[in-house]
Every structure is written in C-alpha cells, then in structure tokens.
Amino acid sequence: MERDAATTDWTTYYTRGQGRPARDLVIHGAAAAPAPGHAVDLGCGDGAETAWLLANGWRVTAVDRTPEAMPLVHANAATALGEDPGARLTTVVADLAQARVPEADLVLASASLPFVPEHEFESMWLRIRAAVADGGVLAVNLFGVNDSWAHPETGIANMTFHDRAAVEALFEGLEIVELTEVEHDGPSGAGPKHWHRFDVIARG
Ligand SMILES: C[S@@+](CC[C@H](N)C(=O)[O-])C[C@H]1O[C@@H](n2cnc3c(N)ncnc32)[C@H](O)[C@@H]1O
C-alpha cells in the first residue's frame, strides 16, 4: 500500500470539487428529520453539504482534520446564504478519532468515516451514536470490503471497511430509513477503482 489515510492531502480533492452540488446523502438525511435544527457535518471537506444545510434553515457544526478546508467552508456558506452565516456556523479542526461530537438533530458523515483506522472506529462510532438526538437522523457513507482501497495491492492504509452484516450491526436500535449498497467501477482522485459503498440514513 503506497497511500495512507492518515497522511492524505485532501486539498486537490477540494479544488477538483469546486462548485459541486450537495450530495444526496445530506438532502435525503435532512428530509428524514422532523425539522431543521442543529446538524453536525463530520469530515465536512469543502463544506458543500454544510452550505446546503445552512441555506435550508439548519445551524451547523462542521468538523474536519484538514485546516485548509475551513476557509472553503466559510466561503461556500457565505455564497449559499448571500451573507456571512455568523453564529449559525461553527467550524472545528479535529481528528474524528478523538473529536467530541456535539448532540445534533442530524449527524452527517459524507465519505469521511472510512478514513478513520479500524482500531479507532468503534470508539468514534459510540460517540457518533450518542450524539444523535431523540428522533434525530444519522446519515453516513461507509465503504464495503470489496472496495479496491480495502485490498493490499490497491489499498490505502489505515482505512475501515465493512461487510453488510457489520453495517447492519452498527445501526442496531435505530430505524433504518434508507440503506443502499452500491458497487461499480469508476474514477477516483487516485485513478480508476472499484467502489463499494453503503449509504445509510437512520432515525434515532
Ligand atoms: C473524501 S473527503 C469528503 C469530504 C466531504 N464530506 C464530501 O462529501 O465531499 C474526506 C474528508 O474527511 C476528512 N477526514 C479524513 N480523515 C479524517 C479524520 N480522521 N478526522 C477528521 N476528518 C477527516 C478529510 O480531511 C476530508 O476533508
């Protein structure tokens, strides 16, 4: 394995995604919540999802380990709102493996949790589950075991992958609103690969 999730530089990824629309995960996740309230965007990256949430009436705490993400999060939020988001947006530079996750009506993690290593995943997951308010929504992507990045020859070190049974176990006690398993060959920032992903929206 040549790449390591712990040392990946995400800035090129942000540049390539400039102007991208918010992902379906946040749109469907917000639709599953009773009303806009407080959302946490874990591994927010450039903040396209945070901007969408702010424009749709949510307050957002956006968390990412990459400091370079935060000016983009603020700029995308200001563009979406036509003004500075002020106190409705809090940005936190932190590693999800240790970060405090504040209670939220929507806990969103779009393409971020798989980049936390296996030995830190479980404790992070307990903090994420505990943060979902009563009746709140958890909307996350997880990567499957058939993903190219899970395999020694084509993989990235220090990532976490799940099979379907393990994914279902993570959501025990929550009401599953959507659970989609996707497998396809396609491009990535690191070249063509096989994608295996779970998109899960669940209600507490
Ligand atoms: C593939 S990008 C996804 C960004 C955005 N959520 C999206 O959907 O495009 C992964 C993001 O997770 C962040 N990330 C990866 N590992 C992390 C960790 N351990 N703690 C906090 N953020 C992390 C990266 O800095 C990057 O912004």
Side-chain angles (χ1 to χ4, degrees), residues 5 10 13-14 20 23 41-46 49 63-66 69 94-97 110-112 115-116:
W10 289 101
Y13 177 85
Y14 303 152
R20 71 179 176 86
R23 303 193 191 284
D41 185 357
L42 299 173
C44 59
D46 60 12
E49 286 67 39
V63 183
D64 202 290
R65 183 174 60 185
T66 304
D95 187 335
L96 295 176
S110 167
S112 55
F115 297 98
V116 172

Side-chain angles (χ1 to χ4, degrees), residues 4-200:
D4 189 325
T7 53
T8 299
D9 175 0
W10 289 101
T11 52
T12 308
Y13 177 85
Y14 303 152
T15 307
R16 280 207 197 102
Q18 214 171 5
R20 71 179 176 86
R23 303 193 191 284
D24 285 348
L25 188 71
V26 70
I27 297 168
H28 293 192
H38 177 225
V40 178
D41 185 357
L42 299 173
C44 59
D46 60 12
E49 286 67 39
T50 287
W52 185 92
L53 286 164
L54 289 163
N56 285 277
W58 292 77
R59 287 177 294 113
V60 185
T61 303
V63 183
D64 202 290
R65 183 174 60 185
T66 304
E68 292 86 348
M70 296 317 176
L72 302 173
V73 174
H74 281 278
N76 281 328
T79 301
L81 290 176
E83 61 181 358
D84 189 282
R88 291 180 56 216
L89 172 62
T90 303
T91 53
V92 180
V93 176
D95 187 335
L96 295 176
Q98 287 97 35
R100 192 181 78 82
V101 184
E103 184 174 285
D105 307 294
L106 172 61
V107 178
L108 171 74
S110 167
S112 55
L113 303 186
F115 297 98
V116 172
E118 256 177 47
H119 69 277
E120 294 178 314
F121 194 94
E122 192 184 339
S123 66
M124 173 187 70
W125 188 252
L126 291 175
R127 278 179 283 114
I128 288 174
R129 283 282 310 249
V132 181
D134 281 348
V137 171
L138 178 54
V140 306
N141 299 130
L142 297 163
F143 286 179
V145 290
N146 298 332
D147 197 282
S148 300
W149 288 343
H151 297 285
E153 339 61 85
T154 51
I156 298 180
N158 284 312
M159 289 188 66
T160 299
F161 301 89
H162 293 88
D163 62 20
R164 193 177 179 101
V167 169
E168 286 172 354
L170 289 175
F171 291 87
E172 253 171 40
L174 299 177
E175 175 201 349
I176 300 285
V177 179
E178 282 183 36
L179 196 173
T180 311
E181 182 173 359
V182 191
E183 282 206 49
H184 64 95
D185 293 326
S188 82
K193 63 168 287 225
H194 184 74
W195 290 93
H196 184 196
R197 200 184 74 230
F198 297 91
D199 304 336
V200 192

